[in-house]
PDB file of all heavy atoms in Angstrom:
ATOM      1  N   GLN A  23       2.443 -29.669  -0.289  1.00  0.00           N
ATOM      2  CA  GLN A  23       1.432 -29.274   0.638  1.00  0.00           C
ATOM      3  C   GLN A  23       0.943 -27.856   0.343  1.00  0.00           C
ATOM      4  O   GLN A  23       1.663 -27.066  -0.271  1.00  0.00           O
ATOM      5  CB  GLN A  23       1.960 -29.337   2.077  1.00  0.00           C
ATOM      6  CG  GLN A  23       3.046 -28.351   2.365  1.00  0.00           C
ATOM      7  CD  GLN A  23       3.342 -28.226   3.844  1.00  0.00           C
ATOM      8  OE1 GLN A  23       2.462 -28.444   4.687  1.00  0.00           O
ATOM      9  NE2 GLN A  23       4.567 -27.849   4.175  1.00  0.00           N
ATOM     10  N   VAL A  24      -0.278 -27.603   0.795  1.00  0.00           N
ATOM     11  CA  VAL A  24      -0.874 -26.287   0.665  1.00  0.00           C
ATOM     12  C   VAL A  24      -1.419 -25.876   2.032  1.00  0.00           C
ATOM     13  O   VAL A  24      -2.059 -26.667   2.712  1.00  0.00           O
ATOM     14  CB  VAL A  24      -1.996 -26.269  -0.390  1.00  0.00           C
ATOM     15  CG1 VAL A  24      -2.712 -24.915  -0.406  1.00  0.00           C
ATOM     16  CG2 VAL A  24      -1.440 -26.580  -1.765  1.00  0.00           C
ATOM     17  N   GLN A  25      -1.157 -24.649   2.387  1.00  0.00           N
ATOM     18  CA  GLN A  25      -1.688 -24.108   3.635  1.00  0.00           C
ATOM     19  C   GLN A  25      -2.673 -22.984   3.328  1.00  0.00           C
ATOM     20  O   GLN A  25      -2.444 -22.162   2.433  1.00  0.00           O
ATOM     21  CB  GLN A  25      -0.580 -23.568   4.529  1.00  0.00           C
ATOM     22  CG  GLN A  25       0.342 -24.656   5.076  1.00  0.00           C
ATOM     23  CD  GLN A  25       1.356 -24.111   6.059  1.00  0.00           C
ATOM     24  OE1 GLN A  25       1.597 -22.901   6.119  1.00  0.00           O
ATOM     25  NE2 GLN A  25       1.939 -24.995   6.832  1.00  0.00           N
ATOM     26  N   LEU A  26      -3.789 -22.972   4.067  1.00  0.00           N
ATOM     27  CA  LEU A  26      -4.814 -21.970   3.906  1.00  0.00           C
ATOM     28  C   LEU A  26      -4.933 -21.210   5.213  1.00  0.00           C
ATOM     29  O   LEU A  26      -5.117 -21.799   6.269  1.00  0.00           O
ATOM     30  CB  LEU A  26      -6.143 -22.590   3.539  1.00  0.00           C
ATOM     31  CG  LEU A  26      -6.155 -23.480   2.291  1.00  0.00           C
ATOM     32  CD1 LEU A  26      -7.542 -24.079   2.106  1.00  0.00           C
ATOM     33  CD2 LEU A  26      -5.739 -22.689   1.058  1.00  0.00           C
ATOM     34  N   VAL A  27      -4.850 -19.880   5.130  1.00  0.00           N
ATOM     35  CA  VAL A  27      -4.984 -19.047   6.300  1.00  0.00           C
ATOM     36  C   VAL A  27      -6.233 -18.198   6.145  1.00  0.00           C
ATOM     37  O   VAL A  27      -6.332 -17.376   5.234  1.00  0.00           O
ATOM     38  CB  VAL A  27      -3.753 -18.139   6.494  1.00  0.00           C
ATOM     39  CG1 VAL A  27      -3.910 -17.257   7.716  1.00  0.00           C
ATOM     40  CG2 VAL A  27      -2.490 -18.993   6.635  1.00  0.00           C
ATOM     41  N   GLU A  28      -7.181 -18.375   7.063  1.00  0.00           N
ATOM     42  CA  GLU A  28      -8.455 -17.678   7.025  1.00  0.00           C
ATOM     43  C   GLU A  28      -8.450 -16.537   8.019  1.00  0.00           C
ATOM     44  O   GLU A  28      -7.810 -16.629   9.077  1.00  0.00           O
ATOM     45  CB  GLU A  28      -9.602 -18.643   7.333  1.00  0.00           C
ATOM     46  CG  GLU A  28      -9.705 -19.798   6.361  1.00  0.00           C
ATOM     47  CD  GLU A  28     -10.799 -20.765   6.752  1.00  0.00           C
ATOM     48  OE1 GLU A  28     -11.457 -20.569   7.797  1.00  0.00           O
ATOM     49  OE2 GLU A  28     -11.020 -21.736   5.995  1.00  0.00           O
ATOM     50  N   SER A  29      -9.218 -15.508   7.695  1.00  0.00           N
ATOM     51  CA  SER A  29      -9.368 -14.394   8.611  1.00  0.00           C
ATOM     52  C   SER A  29     -10.698 -13.693   8.343  1.00  0.00           C
ATOM     53  O   SER A  29     -11.306 -13.892   7.293  1.00  0.00           O
ATOM     54  CB  SER A  29      -8.218 -13.404   8.466  1.00  0.00           C
ATOM     55  OG  SER A  29      -8.182 -12.843   7.157  1.00  0.00           O
ATOM     56  N   GLY A  30     -11.144 -12.894   9.286  1.00  0.00           N
ATOM     57  CA  GLY A  30     -12.313 -12.031   9.089  1.00  0.00           C
ATOM     58  C   GLY A  30     -13.565 -12.432   9.839  1.00  0.00           C
ATOM     59  O   GLY A  30     -14.546 -11.710   9.830  1.00  0.00           O
ATOM     60  N   GLY A  31     -13.559 -13.605  10.473  1.00  0.00           N
ATOM     61  CA  GLY A  31     -14.729 -14.009  11.222  1.00  0.00           C
ATOM     62  C   GLY A  31     -14.902 -13.206  12.493  1.00  0.00           C
ATOM     63  O   GLY A  31     -14.034 -12.457  12.897  1.00  0.00           O
ATOM     64  N   GLY A  32     -16.064 -13.371  13.107  1.00  0.00           N
ATOM     65  CA  GLY A  32     -16.328 -12.655  14.337  1.00  0.00           C
ATOM     66  C   GLY A  32     -17.789 -12.587  14.667  1.00  0.00           C
ATOM     67  O   GLY A  32     -18.619 -13.299  14.079  1.00  0.00           O
ATOM     68  N   LEU A  33     -18.119 -11.720  15.622  1.00  0.00           N
ATOM     69  CA  LEU A  33     -19.472 -11.516  16.060  1.00  0.00           C
ATOM     70  C   LEU A  33     -20.010 -10.229  15.456  1.00  0.00           C
ATOM     71  O   LEU A  33     -19.375  -9.189  15.497  1.00  0.00           O
ATOM     72  CB  LEU A  33     -19.526 -11.425  17.580  1.00  0.00           C
ATOM     73  CG  LEU A  33     -20.864 -11.061  18.240  1.00  0.00           C
ATOM     74  CD1 LEU A  33     -21.889 -12.147  17.975  1.00  0.00           C
ATOM     75  CD2 LEU A  33     -20.672 -10.833  19.737  1.00  0.00           C
ATOM     76  N   VAL A  34     -21.209 -10.312  14.905  1.00  0.00           N
ATOM     77  CA  VAL A  34     -21.842  -9.157  14.264  1.00  0.00           C
ATOM     78  C   VAL A  34     -23.325  -9.171  14.524  1.00  0.00           C
ATOM     79  O   VAL A  34     -23.920 -10.253  14.689  1.00  0.00           O
ATOM     80  CB  VAL A  34     -21.540  -9.118  12.762  1.00  0.00           C
ATOM     81  CG1 VAL A  34     -22.195 -10.288  12.057  1.00  0.00           C
ATOM     82  CG2 VAL A  34     -21.949  -7.799  12.131  1.00  0.00           C
ATOM     83  N   GLN A  35     -23.954  -8.001  14.588  1.00  0.00           N
ATOM     84  CA  GLN A  35     -25.381  -7.928  14.758  1.00  0.00           C
ATOM     85  C   GLN A  35     -26.126  -8.205  13.480  1.00  0.00           C
ATOM     86  O   GLN A  35     -25.576  -8.019  12.391  1.00  0.00           O
ATOM     87  CB  GLN A  35     -25.777  -6.541  15.300  1.00  0.00           C
ATOM     88  CG  GLN A  35     -25.241  -6.237  16.675  1.00  0.00           C
ATOM     89  CD  GLN A  35     -25.704  -4.881  17.186  1.00  0.00           C
ATOM     90  OE1 GLN A  35     -26.366  -4.125  16.490  1.00  0.00           O
ATOM     91  NE2 GLN A  35     -25.345  -4.578  18.429  1.00  0.00           N
ATOM     92  N   PRO A  36     -27.370  -8.652  13.556  1.00  0.00           N
ATOM     93  CA  PRO A  36     -28.169  -8.846  12.346  1.00  0.00           C
ATOM     94  C   PRO A  36     -28.179  -7.572  11.505  1.00  0.00           C
ATOM     95  O   PRO A  36     -28.333  -6.458  12.008  1.00  0.00           O
ATOM     96  CB  PRO A  36     -29.551  -9.179  12.872  1.00  0.00           C
ATOM     97  CG  PRO A  36     -29.305  -9.802  14.204  1.00  0.00           C
ATOM     98  CD  PRO A  36     -28.119  -9.053  14.779  1.00  0.00           C
ATOM     99  N   GLY A  37     -28.022  -7.769  10.194  1.00  0.00           N
ATOM    100  CA  GLY A  37     -27.945  -6.640   9.290  1.00  0.00           C
ATOM    101  C   GLY A  37     -26.542  -6.110   9.071  1.00  0.00           C
ATOM    102  O   GLY A  37     -26.332  -5.278   8.174  1.00  0.00           O
ATOM    103  N   GLY A  38     -25.598  -6.589   9.839  1.00  0.00           N
ATOM    104  CA  GLY A  38     -24.229  -6.163   9.708  1.00  0.00           C
ATOM    105  C   GLY A  38     -23.484  -6.878   8.609  1.00  0.00           C
ATOM    106  O   GLY A  38     -24.069  -7.663   7.842  1.00  0.00           O
ATOM    107  N   SER A  39     -22.206  -6.653   8.533  1.00  0.00           N
ATOM    108  CA  SER A  39     -21.398  -7.222   7.475  1.00  0.00           C
ATOM    109  C   SER A  39     -20.059  -7.718   7.999  1.00  0.00           C
ATOM    110  O   SER A  39     -19.554  -7.260   9.026  1.00  0.00           O
ATOM    111  CB  SER A  39     -21.152  -6.209   6.349  1.00  0.00           C
ATOM    112  OG  SER A  39     -20.413  -5.093   6.822  1.00  0.00           O
ATOM    113  N   LEU A  40     -19.494  -8.669   7.283  1.00  0.00           N
ATOM    114  CA  LEU A  40     -18.175  -9.183   7.541  1.00  0.00           C
ATOM    115  C   LEU A  40     -17.520  -9.516   6.209  1.00  0.00           C
ATOM    116  O   LEU A  40     -18.206  -9.798   5.214  1.00  0.00           O
ATOM    117  CB  LEU A  40     -18.190 -10.441   8.422  1.00  0.00           C
ATOM    118  CG  LEU A  40     -18.540 -10.296   9.890  1.00  0.00           C
ATOM    119  CD1 LEU A  40     -18.717 -11.686  10.510  1.00  0.00           C
ATOM    120  CD2 LEU A  40     -17.447  -9.538  10.631  1.00  0.00           C
ATOM    121  N   ARG A  41     -16.205  -9.506   6.203  1.00  0.00           N
ATOM    122  CA  ARG A  41     -15.462  -9.903   5.014  1.00  0.00           C
ATOM    123  C   ARG A  41     -14.454 -10.967   5.399  1.00  0.00           C
ATOM    124  O   ARG A  41     -13.546 -10.725   6.191  1.00  0.00           O
ATOM    125  CB  ARG A  41     -14.735  -8.696   4.415  1.00  0.00           C
ATOM    126  CG  ARG A  41     -13.960  -9.017   3.113  1.00  0.00           C
ATOM    127  CD  ARG A  41     -13.330  -7.751   2.559  1.00  0.00           C
ATOM    128  NE  ARG A  41     -12.469  -7.975   1.414  1.00  0.00           N
ATOM    129  CZ  ARG A  41     -12.891  -8.046   0.157  1.00  0.00           C
ATOM    130  NH1 ARG A  41     -14.180  -7.898  -0.115  1.00  0.00           N
ATOM    131  NH2 ARG A  41     -12.015  -8.241  -0.834  1.00  0.00           N
ATOM    132  N   LEU A  42     -14.638 -12.153   4.848  1.00  0.00           N
ATOM    133  CA  LEU A  42     -13.730 -13.251   5.092  1.00  0.00           C
ATOM    134  C   LEU A  42     -12.665 -13.324   4.016  1.00  0.00           C
ATOM    135  O   LEU A  42     -12.930 -13.018   2.842  1.00  0.00           O
ATOM    136  CB  LEU A  42     -14.493 -14.589   5.110  1.00  0.00           C
ATOM    137  CG  LEU A  42     -15.681 -14.695   6.081  1.00  0.00           C
ATOM    138  CD1 LEU A  42     -16.260 -16.119   6.005  1.00  0.00           C
ATOM    139  CD2 LEU A  42     -15.272 -14.362   7.493  1.00  0.00           C
ATOM    140  N   SER A  43     -11.469 -13.712   4.402  1.00  0.00           N
ATOM    141  CA  SER A  43     -10.378 -13.857   3.468  1.00  0.00           C
ATOM    142  C   SER A  43      -9.673 -15.180   3.710  1.00  0.00           C
ATOM    143  O   SER A  43      -9.611 -15.681   4.829  1.00  0.00           O
ATOM    144  CB  SER A  43      -9.375 -12.719   3.600  1.00  0.00           C
ATOM    145  OG  SER A  43      -9.974 -11.455   3.319  1.00  0.00           O
ATOM    146  N   CYS A  44      -9.156 -15.742   2.646  1.00  0.00           N
ATOM    147  CA  CYS A  44      -8.410 -16.989   2.708  1.00  0.00           C
ATOM    148  C   CYS A  44      -7.253 -16.913   1.742  1.00  0.00           C
ATOM    149  O   CYS A  44      -7.465 -16.782   0.522  1.00  0.00           O
ATOM    150  CB  CYS A  44      -9.326 -18.168   2.393  1.00  0.00           C
ATOM    151  SG  CYS A  44      -8.482 -19.765   2.327  1.00  0.00           S
ATOM    152  N   ALA A  45      -6.049 -17.045   2.245  1.00  0.00           N
ATOM    153  CA  ALA A  45      -4.858 -16.989   1.424  1.00  0.00           C
ATOM    154  C   ALA A  45      -4.205 -18.368   1.343  1.00  0.00           C
ATOM    155  O   ALA A  45      -3.980 -19.020   2.373  1.00  0.00           O
ATOM    156  CB  ALA A  45      -3.852 -15.979   2.004  1.00  0.00           C
ATOM    157  N   ALA A  46      -3.905 -18.802   0.142  1.00  0.00           N
ATOM    158  CA  ALA A  46      -3.280 -20.092  -0.081  1.00  0.00           C
ATOM    159  C   ALA A  46      -1.797 -19.924  -0.331  1.00  0.00           C
ATOM    160  O   ALA A  46      -1.375 -19.011  -1.048  1.00  0.00           O
ATOM    161  CB  ALA A  46      -3.935 -20.803  -1.273  1.00  0.00           C
ATOM    162  N   SER A  47      -1.030 -20.814   0.238  1.00  0.00           N
ATOM    163  CA  SER A  47       0.410 -20.810   0.010  1.00  0.00           C
ATOM    164  C   SER A  47       0.924 -22.237   0.034  1.00  0.00           C
ATOM    165  O   SER A  47       0.250 -23.127   0.559  1.00  0.00           O
ATOM    166  CB  SER A  47       1.146 -19.962   1.050  1.00  0.00           C
ATOM    167  OG  SER A  47       0.969 -20.518   2.353  1.00  0.00           O
ATOM    168  N   GLY A  48       2.119 -22.426  -0.515  1.00  0.00           N
ATOM    169  CA  GLY A  48       2.705 -23.750  -0.504  1.00  0.00           C
ATOM    170  C   GLY A  48       3.067 -24.212  -1.910  1.00  0.00           C
ATOM    171  O   GLY A  48       3.396 -23.406  -2.763  1.00  0.00           O
ATOM    172  N   SER A  49       2.961 -25.509  -2.110  1.00  0.00           N
ATOM    173  CA  SER A  49       3.393 -26.117  -3.362  1.00  0.00           C
ATOM    174  C   SER A  49       2.186 -26.497  -4.207  1.00  0.00           C
ATOM    175  O   SER A  49       1.423 -27.393  -3.880  1.00  0.00           O
ATOM    176  CB  SER A  49       4.229 -27.373  -3.059  1.00  0.00           C
ATOM    177  OG  SER A  49       4.646 -27.993  -4.262  1.00  0.00           O
ATOM    178  N   PHE A  50       2.025 -25.808  -5.316  1.00  0.00           N
ATOM    179  CA  PHE A  50       1.013 -26.117  -6.303  1.00  0.00           C
ATOM    180  C   PHE A  50       1.359 -25.394  -7.596  1.00  0.00           C
ATOM    181  O   PHE A  50       2.099 -24.421  -7.608  1.00  0.00           O
ATOM    182  CB  PHE A  50      -0.382 -25.727  -5.816  1.00  0.00           C
ATOM    183  CG  PHE A  50      -0.514 -24.299  -5.384  1.00  0.00           C
ATOM    184  CD1 PHE A  50      -0.781 -23.297  -6.313  1.00  0.00           C
ATOM    185  CD2 PHE A  50      -0.405 -23.945  -4.041  1.00  0.00           C
ATOM    186  CE1 PHE A  50      -0.903 -21.976  -5.895  1.00  0.00           C
ATOM    187  CE2 PHE A  50      -0.523 -22.624  -3.626  1.00  0.00           C
ATOM    188  CZ  PHE A  50      -0.773 -21.634  -4.574  1.00  0.00           C
ATOM    189  N   VAL A  51       0.790 -25.892  -8.670  1.00  0.00           N
ATOM    190  CA  VAL A  51       1.031 -25.306  -9.974  1.00  0.00           C
ATOM    191  C   VAL A  51      -0.053 -24.283 -10.306  1.00  0.00           C
ATOM    192  O   VAL A  51       0.232 -23.156 -10.703  1.00  0.00           O
ATOM    193  CB  VAL A  51       1.111 -26.377 -11.066  1.00  0.00           C
ATOM    194  CG1 VAL A  51       1.282 -25.730 -12.441  1.00  0.00           C
ATOM    195  CG2 VAL A  51       2.249 -27.352 -10.777  1.00  0.00           C
ATOM    196  N   THR A  52      -1.293 -24.718 -10.170  1.00  0.00           N
ATOM    197  CA  THR A  52      -2.414 -23.898 -10.544  1.00  0.00           C
ATOM    198  C   THR A  52      -3.543 -24.030  -9.535  1.00  0.00           C
ATOM    199  O   THR A  52      -3.828 -25.135  -9.089  1.00  0.00           O
ATOM    200  CB  THR A  52      -2.951 -24.279 -11.938  1.00  0.00           C
ATOM    201  OG1 THR A  52      -1.882 -24.187 -12.894  1.00  0.00           O
ATOM    202  CG2 THR A  52      -4.079 -23.347 -12.371  1.00  0.00           C
ATOM    203  N   ILE A  53      -4.166 -22.937  -9.185  1.00  0.00           N
ATOM    204  CA  ILE A  53      -5.370 -22.972  -8.381  1.00  0.00           C
ATOM    205  C   ILE A  53      -6.570 -23.074  -9.319  1.00  0.00           C
ATOM    206  O   ILE A  53      -6.729 -22.249 -10.230  1.00  0.00           O
ATOM    207  CB  ILE A  53      -5.492 -21.742  -7.474  1.00  0.00           C
ATOM    208  CG1 ILE A  53      -4.354 -21.726  -6.467  1.00  0.00           C
ATOM    209  CG2 ILE A  53      -6.851 -21.756  -6.761  1.00  0.00           C
ATOM    210  CD1 ILE A  53      -4.373 -20.523  -5.536  1.00  0.00           C
ATOM    211  N   ASN A  54      -7.407 -24.067  -9.076  1.00  0.00           N
ATOM    212  CA  ASN A  54      -8.590 -24.227  -9.881  1.00  0.00           C
ATOM    213  C   ASN A  54      -9.742 -23.461  -9.232  1.00  0.00           C
ATOM    214  O   ASN A  54      -9.797 -22.243  -9.327  1.00  0.00           O
ATOM    215  CB  ASN A  54      -8.899 -25.709 -10.045  1.00  0.00           C
ATOM    216  CG  ASN A  54      -7.771 -26.487 -10.672  1.00  0.00           C
ATOM    217  OD1 ASN A  54      -7.166 -26.037 -11.644  1.00  0.00           O
ATOM    218  ND2 ASN A  54      -7.463 -27.659 -10.122  1.00  0.00           N
ATOM    219  N   THR A  55     -10.601 -24.160  -8.545  1.00  0.00           N
ATOM    220  CA  THR A  55     -11.740 -23.521  -7.905  1.00  0.00           C
ATOM    221  C   THR A  55     -11.417 -23.172  -6.459  1.00  0.00           C
ATOM    222  O   THR A  55     -10.748 -23.919  -5.767  1.00  0.00           O
ATOM    223  CB  THR A  55     -12.969 -24.438  -7.952  1.00  0.00           C
ATOM    224  OG1 THR A  55     -13.296 -24.742  -9.309  1.00  0.00           O
ATOM    225  CG2 THR A  55     -14.177 -23.792  -7.291  1.00  0.00           C
ATOM    226  N   MET A  56     -11.902 -22.027  -6.017  1.00  0.00           N
ATOM    227  CA  MET A  56     -11.824 -21.601  -4.628  1.00  0.00           C
ATOM    228  C   MET A  56     -13.214 -21.347  -4.129  1.00  0.00           C
ATOM    229  O   MET A  56     -14.084 -20.911  -4.899  1.00  0.00           O
ATOM    230  CB  MET A  56     -10.964 -20.327  -4.491  1.00  0.00           C
ATOM    231  CG  MET A  56      -9.625 -20.393  -5.177  1.00  0.00           C
ATOM    232  SD  MET A  56      -8.629 -18.876  -4.987  1.00  0.00           S
ATOM    233  CE  MET A  56      -8.038 -19.114  -3.302  1.00  0.00           C
TER     234      MET A  56
END
């Protein structure tokens, strides 16, 4: 299994910025495309 934990979302005004992150953990050999 693989678990993905996302963070960084929220409310922002037009013209603002946000940074989303996603960390993968669990059982896998190689990560291909993200």
Side-chain angles (χ1 to χ4, degrees):
Q23 65 167 333
V24 174
Q25 292 186 343
L26 304 177
V27 179
E28 301 176 357
S29 62
L33 174 65
V34 66
Q35 294 183 357
S39 63
L40 287 172
R41 182 177 174 86
L42 306 183
S43 298
C44 175
S47 63
S49 179
F50 54 85
V51 177
T52 304
I53 296 179
N54 302 315
T55 301
M56 309 181 78

